Amino acid sequence: MLSVAIALEPPIEPAHVQVVAQSCEASLGRGRCRVASELSPGSVVAWYALVRSEEGASGLAIEFYDRNSSGTLIERRELSFPEQANGQQRWASVGAVIAAFVAAREGGETVPKPEPAPEQAPPAPAPAPLPRPGLAYNADLALFAGPGLDQGRYRLGALARGYVASPEVPRVLGLISVRYAERPGALSLAWWGASCGMGARLGARGSPLSLELTGELVFERLQMSARDDATGNAESSSQNRFGGRLSINAALAFASHFGLVVGAEATALRPSVAITVGSDDAGRALPVSYAFSAGLRFSSD
């Protein structure tokens, strides 16, 4: 911003010119009204205000020059004051007139433009919510063995079993299982089965060791076939059975996503089936049986 230098003619009390400068700066802003005697030789101002005071006169004259006292006279203003006005009021009025002249030359600006408020840093973004864990699931492939009839050899088979757990209740499991087993011989037996149910898992999610207790509804189809070597005749039959199963399984992770799983189960099925071949009693499909299993597990976490 442009500034103005102020001087009194003839030189009088320095305090008076200070009053003029302070009154001028009250309107224009600090540093814009300079006392001419305090300026260094190399200082540059836009206007030079020379205040002339004649001894005994009741008024003052202000002459405005371009840049310095040797510059072009731009304007002259004469001021008169009432007799009751004291000296402090007169010099303050002179400063206000000088400020009005400068403001008019600058297009009507009477006060310095306020400095722009410092820009506030944008608020830190809220931390992104942590991703919620998804469904956890396991898939087992295992071999199992157990009695199929109340007499004779054990049946051998394979099973595929899947577990799923919600992130809200990770210890509660849903499961589905399919299996097949057979017992070869003169009397060939095969068991097809499917089941579904729920269970509970003991052990923290992500722990290498876990234990599951489950209960299932079971459907099983028992197929029987026999062949008479003497006559070459063959007969077959089948029976659907329904019931429930309780299981306990333990899994131990040995690598990322993979582990060993072992288990034991007890299954109750109805109806009980008695099997005869000719006049021979081949045995009875147990209403309650047990089995042991061992295999591999794939885990999602």
Side-chain angles (χ1 to χ4, degrees):
M1 294 183 179
L2 301 179
S3 58
V4 57
I6 302 172
L8 299 184
E9 178 70 27
I12 54 177
E13 290 290 335
H16 293 168
V17 72
Q18 292 291 345
V19 172
V20 175
Q22 291 172 3
S23 175
C24 176
E25 287 186 342
S27 297
L28 296 180
R30 186 175 180 83
R32 297 195 61 193
C33 302
R34 313 290 297 277
V35 177
S37 60
E38 296 178 356
L39 294 175
S40 61
S43 299
V44 178
V45 294
W47 299 282
Y48 189 96
L50 179 61
V51 183
R52 296 186 180 275
S53 174
E54 296 184 3
E55 186 176 356
S58 61
L60 298 172
I62 306 174
E63 297 175 353
F64 295 97
Y65 293 89
D66 183 21
R67 300 184 182 277
N68 53 56
S69 58
S70 301
T72 304
L73 177 63
I74 301 174
E75 187 176 335
R76 176 184 173 88
R77 295 187 184 184
E78 295 185 357
L79 305 179
S80 60
F81 304 98
E83 293 184 359
Q84 63 269 25
N86 59 37
Q88 186 80 4
Q89 293 174 335
R90 296 187 181 198
W91 297 117
S93 298
V94 172
V97 171
I98 295 173
F101 167 81
V102 174
R105 288 287 172 170
E106 292 187 351
E109 182 181 358
T110 59
V111 294
K113 294 182 180 179
E115 296 182 359
E119 295 185 1
Q120 295 183 351
L130 296 176
R132 297 180 59 188
L135 291 176
Y137 60 88
N138 308 120
D140 295 346
L141 290 176
L143 300 176
F144 71 94
L149 301 180
D150 58 356
Q151 60 186 22
R153 293 174 296 173
Y154 276 17
R155 59 178 177 172
L156 299 175
L159 65 87
R161 179 172 53 216
Y163 298 95
V164 64
S166 166
E168 284 78 14
V169 280
R171 296 182 182 273
V172 177
L173 308 173
L175 69 100
I176 187 170
S177 174
V178 294
R179 60 182 59 200
Y180 171 79
E182 64 179 24
R183 196 188 77 170
L187 174 62
S188 177
L189 299 174
W191 291 263
W192 298 86
S195 61
C196 63
M198 297 186 68
R201 171 169 290 154
L202 306 180
R205 184 173 182 178
S207 171
L209 180 63
S210 64
L211 185 71
E212 295 100 23
L213 303 175
T214 61
E216 302 166 76
L217 297 177
V218 179
F219 164 76
E220 183 180 87
R221 183 174 181 84
L222 172 59
Q223 294 180 322
M224 302 158 282
S225 62
R227 183 181 180 86
D228 188 346
D229 294 334
T231 63
N233 294 330
E235 294 184 3
S236 63
S237 181
S238 63
Q239 176 66 53
N240 293 334
R241 308 175 74 198
F242 300 90
R245 177 182 297 126
L246 295 177
S247 304
I248 180 170
N249 298 290
L252 177 63
F254 63 85
S256 178
H257 301 297
F258 291 96
L260 298 175
V261 59
V262 296
E265 62 186 46
T267 306
L269 295 172
R270 299 290 296 174
S272 177
V273 179
I275 303 173
T276 58
V277 179
S279 58
D280 297 330
D281 181 8
R284 176 179 293 274
L286 295 170
V288 178
S289 62
Y290 62 88
F292 300 96
S293 61
L296 295 176
R297 166 168 294 181
F298 173 82
S299 301
S300 63
D301 54 4

PDB file of all heavy atoms in Angstrom, residues 248-269:
ATOM      1  N   ILE A 248     -17.693 -85.966  17.911  1.00  0.00           N
ATOM      2  CA  ILE A 248     -16.664 -85.113  18.470  1.00  0.00           C
ATOM      3  C   ILE A 248     -15.441 -85.221  17.568  1.00  0.00           C
ATOM      4  O   ILE A 248     -15.020 -86.334  17.214  1.00  0.00           O
ATOM      5  CB  ILE A 248     -16.331 -85.491  19.931  1.00  0.00           C
ATOM      6  CG1 ILE A 248     -15.234 -84.558  20.468  1.00  0.00           C
ATOM      7  CG2 ILE A 248     -15.940 -86.957  20.058  1.00  0.00           C
ATOM      8  CD1 ILE A 248     -15.026 -84.704  21.968  1.00  0.00           C
ATOM      9  N   ASN A 249     -14.913 -84.066  17.154  1.00  0.00           N
ATOM     10  CA  ASN A 249     -13.777 -84.032  16.235  1.00  0.00           C
ATOM     11  C   ASN A 249     -12.738 -83.051  16.752  1.00  0.00           C
ATOM     12  O   ASN A 249     -13.078 -81.983  17.283  1.00  0.00           O
ATOM     13  CB  ASN A 249     -14.215 -83.605  14.831  1.00  0.00           C
ATOM     14  CG  ASN A 249     -15.203 -84.572  14.220  1.00  0.00           C
ATOM     15  OD1 ASN A 249     -14.849 -85.689  13.881  1.00  0.00           O
ATOM     16  ND2 ASN A 249     -16.446 -84.132  14.093  1.00  0.00           N
ATOM     17  N   ALA A 250     -11.490 -83.402  16.574  1.00  0.00           N
ATOM     18  CA  ALA A 250     -10.370 -82.534  16.950  1.00  0.00           C
ATOM     19  C   ALA A 250      -9.511 -82.296  15.720  1.00  0.00           C
ATOM     20  O   ALA A 250      -9.229 -83.230  14.951  1.00  0.00           O
ATOM     21  CB  ALA A 250      -9.546 -83.154  18.066  1.00  0.00           C
ATOM     22  N   ALA A 251      -9.091 -81.041  15.527  1.00  0.00           N
ATOM     23  CA  ALA A 251      -8.271 -80.684  14.366  1.00  0.00           C
ATOM     24  C   ALA A 251      -7.023 -79.958  14.838  1.00  0.00           C
ATOM     25  O   ALA A 251      -7.075 -79.126  15.760  1.00  0.00           O
ATOM     26  CB  ALA A 251      -9.059 -79.807  13.397  1.00  0.00           C
ATOM     27  N   LEU A 252      -5.904 -80.238  14.196  1.00  0.00           N
ATOM     28  CA  LEU A 252      -4.639 -79.598  14.506  1.00  0.00           C
ATOM     29  C   LEU A 252      -4.011 -79.111  13.204  1.00  0.00           C
ATOM     30  O   LEU A 252      -3.713 -79.915  12.320  1.00  0.00           O
ATOM     31  CB  LEU A 252      -3.694 -80.573  15.213  1.00  0.00           C
ATOM     32  CG  LEU A 252      -2.292 -80.025  15.537  1.00  0.00           C
ATOM     33  CD1 LEU A 252      -2.386 -78.863  16.520  1.00  0.00           C
ATOM     34  CD2 LEU A 252      -1.402 -81.120  16.080  1.00  0.00           C
ATOM     35  N   ALA A 253      -3.826 -77.796  13.075  1.00  0.00           N
ATOM     36  CA  ALA A 253      -3.247 -77.226  11.857  1.00  0.00           C
ATOM     37  C   ALA A 253      -1.752 -77.524  11.817  1.00  0.00           C
ATOM     38  O   ALA A 253      -1.046 -77.373  12.819  1.00  0.00           O
ATOM     39  CB  ALA A 253      -3.486 -75.723  11.819  1.00  0.00           C
ATOM     40  N   PHE A 254      -1.267 -77.937  10.653  1.00  0.00           N
ATOM     41  CA  PHE A 254       0.164 -78.170  10.483  1.00  0.00           C
ATOM     42  C   PHE A 254       0.762 -77.277   9.404  1.00  0.00           C
ATOM     43  O   PHE A 254       1.982 -77.232   9.234  1.00  0.00           O
ATOM     44  CB  PHE A 254       0.440 -79.646  10.143  1.00  0.00           C
ATOM     45  CG  PHE A 254      -0.150 -80.104   8.846  1.00  0.00           C
ATOM     46  CD1 PHE A 254       0.518 -79.914   7.643  1.00  0.00           C
ATOM     47  CD2 PHE A 254      -1.384 -80.736   8.809  1.00  0.00           C
ATOM     48  CE1 PHE A 254      -0.022 -80.342   6.443  1.00  0.00           C
ATOM     49  CE2 PHE A 254      -1.936 -81.166   7.613  1.00  0.00           C
ATOM     50  CZ  PHE A 254      -1.248 -80.970   6.429  1.00  0.00           C
ATOM     51  N   ALA A 255      -0.070 -76.574   8.648  1.00  0.00           N
ATOM     52  CA  ALA A 255       0.382 -75.637   7.621  1.00  0.00           C
ATOM     53  C   ALA A 255      -0.724 -74.623   7.406  1.00  0.00           C
ATOM     54  O   ALA A 255      -1.825 -74.752   7.939  1.00  0.00           O
ATOM     55  CB  ALA A 255       0.713 -76.364   6.316  1.00  0.00           C
ATOM     56  N   SER A 256      -0.398 -73.576   6.643  1.00  0.00           N
ATOM     57  CA  SER A 256      -1.402 -72.554   6.366  1.00  0.00           C
ATOM     58  C   SER A 256      -2.605 -73.176   5.669  1.00  0.00           C
ATOM     59  O   SER A 256      -2.480 -73.767   4.587  1.00  0.00           O
ATOM     60  CB  SER A 256      -0.798 -71.457   5.481  1.00  0.00           C
ATOM     61  OG  SER A 256      -1.765 -70.488   5.156  1.00  0.00           O
ATOM     62  N   HIS A 257      -3.763 -73.079   6.323  1.00  0.00           N
ATOM     63  CA  HIS A 257      -5.053 -73.561   5.815  1.00  0.00           C
ATOM     64  C   HIS A 257      -5.207 -75.081   5.861  1.00  0.00           C
ATOM     65  O   HIS A 257      -6.277 -75.586   5.468  1.00  0.00           O
ATOM     66  CB  HIS A 257      -5.310 -73.086   4.381  1.00  0.00           C
ATOM     67  CG  HIS A 257      -5.305 -71.606   4.220  1.00  0.00           C
ATOM     68  ND1 HIS A 257      -6.210 -70.785   4.835  1.00  0.00           N
ATOM     69  CD2 HIS A 257      -4.469 -70.796   3.518  1.00  0.00           C
ATOM     70  CE1 HIS A 257      -5.955 -69.523   4.510  1.00  0.00           C
ATOM     71  NE2 HIS A 257      -4.891 -69.504   3.734  1.00  0.00           N
ATOM     72  N   PHE A 258      -4.233 -75.828   6.292  1.00  0.00           N
ATOM     73  CA  PHE A 258      -4.355 -77.283   6.291  1.00  0.00           C
ATOM     74  C   PHE A 258      -4.080 -77.839   7.677  1.00  0.00           C
ATOM     75  O   PHE A 258      -3.263 -77.293   8.447  1.00  0.00           O
ATOM     76  CB  PHE A 258      -3.394 -77.908   5.281  1.00  0.00           C
ATOM     77  CG  PHE A 258      -3.757 -77.642   3.853  1.00  0.00           C
ATOM     78  CD1 PHE A 258      -3.170 -76.590   3.160  1.00  0.00           C
ATOM     79  CD2 PHE A 258      -4.706 -78.410   3.213  1.00  0.00           C
ATOM     80  CE1 PHE A 258      -3.514 -76.328   1.851  1.00  0.00           C
ATOM     81  CE2 PHE A 258      -5.059 -78.158   1.888  1.00  0.00           C
ATOM     82  CZ  PHE A 258      -4.457 -77.127   1.201  1.00  0.00           C
ATOM     83  N   GLY A 259      -4.772 -78.950   8.001  1.00  0.00           N
ATOM     84  CA  GLY A 259      -4.580 -79.587   9.291  1.00  0.00           C
ATOM     85  C   GLY A 259      -5.014 -81.033   9.246  1.00  0.00           C
ATOM     86  O   GLY A 259      -5.571 -81.527   8.266  1.00  0.00           O
ATOM     87  N   LEU A 260      -4.731 -81.715  10.337  1.00  0.00           N
ATOM     88  CA  LEU A 260      -5.175 -83.097  10.533  1.00  0.00           C
ATOM     89  C   LEU A 260      -6.426 -83.080  11.384  1.00  0.00           C
ATOM     90  O   LEU A 260      -6.558 -82.276  12.315  1.00  0.00           O
ATOM     91  CB  LEU A 260      -4.081 -83.912  11.225  1.00  0.00           C
ATOM     92  CG  LEU A 260      -2.754 -84.057  10.475  1.00  0.00           C
ATOM     93  CD1 LEU A 260      -1.743 -84.794  11.349  1.00  0.00           C
ATOM     94  CD2 LEU A 260      -2.954 -84.791   9.160  1.00  0.00           C
ATOM     95  N   VAL A 261      -7.361 -84.001  11.095  1.00  0.00           N
ATOM     96  CA  VAL A 261      -8.590 -84.076  11.866  1.00  0.00           C
ATOM     97  C   VAL A 261      -8.872 -85.534  12.211  1.00  0.00           C
ATOM     98  O   VAL A 261      -8.701 -86.430  11.374  1.00  0.00           O
ATOM     99  CB  VAL A 261      -9.777 -83.455  11.094  1.00  0.00           C
ATOM    100  CG1 VAL A 261     -10.019 -84.150   9.754  1.00  0.00           C
ATOM    101  CG2 VAL A 261     -11.042 -83.455  11.934  1.00  0.00           C
ATOM    102  N   VAL A 262      -9.242 -85.775  13.449  1.00  0.00           N
ATOM    103  CA  VAL A 262      -9.646 -87.115  13.911  1.00  0.00           C
ATOM    104  C   VAL A 262     -10.953 -86.955  14.663  1.00  0.00           C
ATOM    105  O   VAL A 262     -11.262 -85.880  15.204  1.00  0.00           O
ATOM    106  CB  VAL A 262      -8.573 -87.752  14.816  1.00  0.00           C
ATOM    107  CG1 VAL A 262      -7.284 -87.997  14.042  1.00  0.00           C
ATOM    108  CG2 VAL A 262      -8.290 -86.871  16.031  1.00  0.00           C
ATOM    109  N   GLY A 263     -11.745 -88.032  14.677  1.00  0.00           N
ATOM    110  CA  GLY A 263     -13.032 -87.924  15.345  1.00  0.00           C
ATOM    111  C   GLY A 263     -13.619 -89.258  15.727  1.00  0.00           C
ATOM    112  O   GLY A 263     -13.151 -90.322  15.314  1.00  0.00           O
ATOM    113  N   ALA A 264     -14.653 -89.181  16.539  1.00  0.00           N
ATOM    114  CA  ALA A 264     -15.424 -90.358  16.948  1.00  0.00           C
ATOM    115  C   ALA A 264     -16.890 -89.972  16.917  1.00  0.00           C
ATOM    116  O   ALA A 264     -17.251 -88.801  17.138  1.00  0.00           O
ATOM    117  CB  ALA A 264     -15.008 -90.802  18.345  1.00  0.00           C
ATOM    118  N   GLU A 265     -17.748 -90.930  16.642  1.00  0.00           N
ATOM    119  CA  GLU A 265     -19.174 -90.633  16.488  1.00  0.00           C
ATOM    120  C   GLU A 265     -20.009 -91.803  16.947  1.00  0.00           C
ATOM    121  O   GLU A 265     -19.554 -92.963  16.992  1.00  0.00           O
ATOM    122  CB  GLU A 265     -19.500 -90.330  15.025  1.00  0.00           C
ATOM    123  CG  GLU A 265     -19.226 -91.488  14.093  1.00  0.00           C
ATOM    124  CD  GLU A 265     -19.416 -91.120  12.638  1.00  0.00           C
ATOM    125  OE1 GLU A 265     -18.923 -90.045  12.217  1.00  0.00           O
ATOM    126  OE2 GLU A 265     -20.040 -91.929  11.917  1.00  0.00           O
ATOM    127  N   ALA A 266     -21.246 -91.509  17.281  1.00  0.00           N
ATOM    128  CA  ALA A 266     -22.259 -92.522  17.603  1.00  0.00           C
ATOM    129  C   ALA A 266     -23.512 -92.186  16.823  1.00  0.00           C
ATOM    130  O   ALA A 266     -23.965 -91.031  16.822  1.00  0.00           O
ATOM    131  CB  ALA A 266     -22.540 -92.550  19.094  1.00  0.00           C
ATOM    132  N   THR A 267     -24.070 -93.185  16.138  1.00  0.00           N
ATOM    133  CA  THR A 267     -25.219 -92.970  15.256  1.00  0.00           C
ATOM    134  C   THR A 267     -26.341 -93.909  15.637  1.00  0.00           C
ATOM    135  O   THR A 267     -26.123 -95.114  15.822  1.00  0.00           O
ATOM    136  CB  THR A 267     -24.834 -93.209  13.784  1.00  0.00           C
ATOM    137  OG1 THR A 267     -23.707 -92.398  13.455  1.00  0.00           O
ATOM    138  CG2 THR A 267     -25.982 -92.865  12.855  1.00  0.00           C
ATOM    139  N   ALA A 268     -27.546 -93.353  15.734  1.00  0.00           N
ATOM    140  CA  ALA A 268     -28.744 -94.149  16.016  1.00  0.00           C
ATOM    141  C   ALA A 268     -29.667 -94.062  14.812  1.00  0.00           C
ATOM    142  O   ALA A 268     -30.024 -92.954  14.383  1.00  0.00           O
ATOM    143  CB  ALA A 268     -29.447 -93.644  17.269  1.00  0.00           C
ATOM    144  N   LEU A 269     -30.041 -95.222  14.227  1.00  0.00           N
ATOM    145  CA  LEU A 269     -30.864 -95.262  13.015  1.00  0.00           C
ATOM    146  C   LEU A 269     -32.004 -96.257  13.189  1.00  0.00           C
ATOM    147  O   LEU A 269     -31.855 -97.311  13.827  1.00  0.00           O
ATOM    148  CB  LEU A 269     -30.012 -95.651  11.805  1.00  0.00           C
ATOM    149  CG  LEU A 269     -28.915 -94.654  11.392  1.00  0.00           C
ATOM    150  CD1 LEU A 269     -28.038 -95.273  10.325  1.00  0.00           C
ATOM    151  CD2 LEU A 269     -29.515 -93.350  10.895  1.00  0.00           C
TER     152      LEU A 269
END
